[in-house]
Amino acid sequence: MSKNYKIAVLPGDGTGPEVVDEGLKVLDAISKKFNFTVETESFDWGGDRYLKTGIVLPEDAGDTLKKFDAVFLGAIGHPDVKPGILEKGILLKLRFELDQYINLRPVKLYPGVPTPLADKTPEDIDYVVVRENTGGIYTGTGGFSMKGTADEVAVQSMVYNRKQVERCLRYSFELAQKRHNKDNPWRGLSEKDIAAGKYSQLTLCGKTNVLTFVFDLWDRVFNEIASDYPDVKTDYVHVDAACMYMVKSPHWFDVIVTGNMFGDIITDLGAMTQGGMGIAAGGNLNPNGVSMFEPIGGSAPKYTGQGVINPLAAVSSVGMMLDFLGETEAANAIEKSVSFVTGNKMKSMSAGQMGYSTSEVGDLVIENL
Ligand code: IPM
Ligand code: MN
């Protein structure tokens, strides 16, 4: 029996709806090829609705989304709404309510895509960042005292408990195991590593030299559970050094795991090295619940309605969604087609310079599935 998936669609603001349309077009085409069906329902949560109604997100939004198999999100962010309201009120709220504790952000340079890193090729840039997605500084723990006075104090704390850290690390070890095996060891390993039965690598990215409480906890749990994953080589980098290596030696990385704030920052760096926001996709995952997939680039309001924005990040996030739902072959087909289109068709990944319109790029992906 063919499967049916119920997908909630949140087109959002700015160019979100345009790229979402292309993602859905590809989803429709791939479902026919791989013999599954998709039912979508769209929700107009975003800046325009907020400006009209004053409501950022309906009270029962989380419960509504829990009835779906996955969520496909365009972009949140409106030029007429003060920064923070929509981001916190929609994106972060949903991540927390749906307990999407993993933010998965592949950093992959597709063929033909220009990278600002001189001499780096798709061989060099192909890793995944696992960003913890519901804890850390993002919990909003803190506040002001003596606000508005000269003695004002503001505190915002990095908060993690062991369970949160452990579930994120275990997910990351398992992801590393999934990416490589005996027949396909990660090419960054030495002969000695492989002889010792290591096939993938997990790098913990922290700041144990300064954040001696939070990253001490991460580091201890990392080392405690590593023995459960004997085929994964472990490594550690401080976050500042990680930024250097992501530029200088990206081929050193296979899977990187890090906390929420560091993950936010380093994945924007990673996205630039893979050719920019037009191509970077991400998933907010609850491995036991409802996950949400999104192009990580934002709403790019200045390009709204022009048909010039790159939809490939949205298309790739549909691929990630299918992979998560277990439609691995369909996901691989999308990834292959995206590679073909970047390698053989498009002039650039930047808005207005692709050599094609937004919907023509969607068509190209479909033609080459
Ligand atoms: C991201 C974004 C969000 C974040 C913002 C919009 C709240 O930058 O998804 O990376 O900080 O997580
Ligand atoms: Mn970000």
Side-chain angles (χ1 to χ4, degrees), residues 13 45-51 55-57 76-93:
D13 302 316
W45 306 334
D48 285 327
R49 187 174 188 274
Y50 169 68
L51 289 171
I55 296 167
V56 183
L57 197 66
I76 298 294
H78 194 292
D80 302 336
V81 181
K82 205 175 128 202
I85 295 179
L86 301 170
E87 293 87 337
K88 274 191 152 171
I90 301 179
L91 188 59
L92 298 184
K93 185 133 193 278

Side-chain angles (χ1 to χ4, degrees), residues 76 87-88 91-92 95 103 105 131 133 138 260-261 263-265 267-268 284 294 296:
I76 298 294
E87 293 87 337
K88 274 191 152 171
L91 188 59
L92 298 184
R95 285 178 184 168
N103 196 328
R105 297 190 164 183
R131 162 186 175 188
N133 209 33
Y138 278 70
N260 207 344
M261 186 79 258
D264 176 47
I265 298 167
T267 54
D268 271 20
N284 302 274
E294 53 170 342
I296 73 175

Side-chain angles (χ1 to χ4, degrees), residues 95-96 99-102 131-141 157-161 164-165 167 214 218 259-261:
R95 285 178 184 168
F96 279 87
D99 198 19
Q100 293 165 338
Y101 61 90
I102 299 295
R131 162 186 175 188
E132 198 289 327
N133 209 33
T134 54
I137 304 185
Y138 278 70
T139 53
T141 308
S157 304
M158 189 180 279
V159 182
Y160 272 112
N161 68 44
Q164 267 178 321
V165 170
R167 67 181 181 173
V214 167
W218 278 81
N260 207 344
M261 186 79 258

Side-chain angles (χ1 to χ4, degrees), residues 16-36:
E18 293 166 56
V19 297
V20 157
D21 280 349
E22 298 315 304
L24 292 176
K25 212 163 87 181
V26 173
L27 182 60
D28 182 57
I30 196 90
S31 68
K32 292 184 175 124
K33 271 208 149 66
F34 286 86
N35 222 355
F36 58 87

Side-chain angles (χ1 to χ4, degrees), residues 165-207:
V165 170
E166 180 166 344
R167 67 181 181 173
C168 178
L169 289 172
R170 287 203 184 272
Y171 176 88
S172 308
F173 273 109
E174 283 162 25
L175 176 69
Q177 285 182 321
K178 239 177 82 184
R179 275 168 67 84
H180 300 287
N181 54 48
K182 234 187 173 107
D183 303 319
N184 171 35
W186 173 59
R187 64 202 149 42
L189 292 167
S190 69
E191 306 257 314
K192 218 173 118 199
D193 294 326
I194 293 172
K198 308 276 181 197
Y199 305 114
S200 19
Q201 176 178 265
L202 178 63
T203 304
L204 172 64
C205 166
K207 189 73 187 171

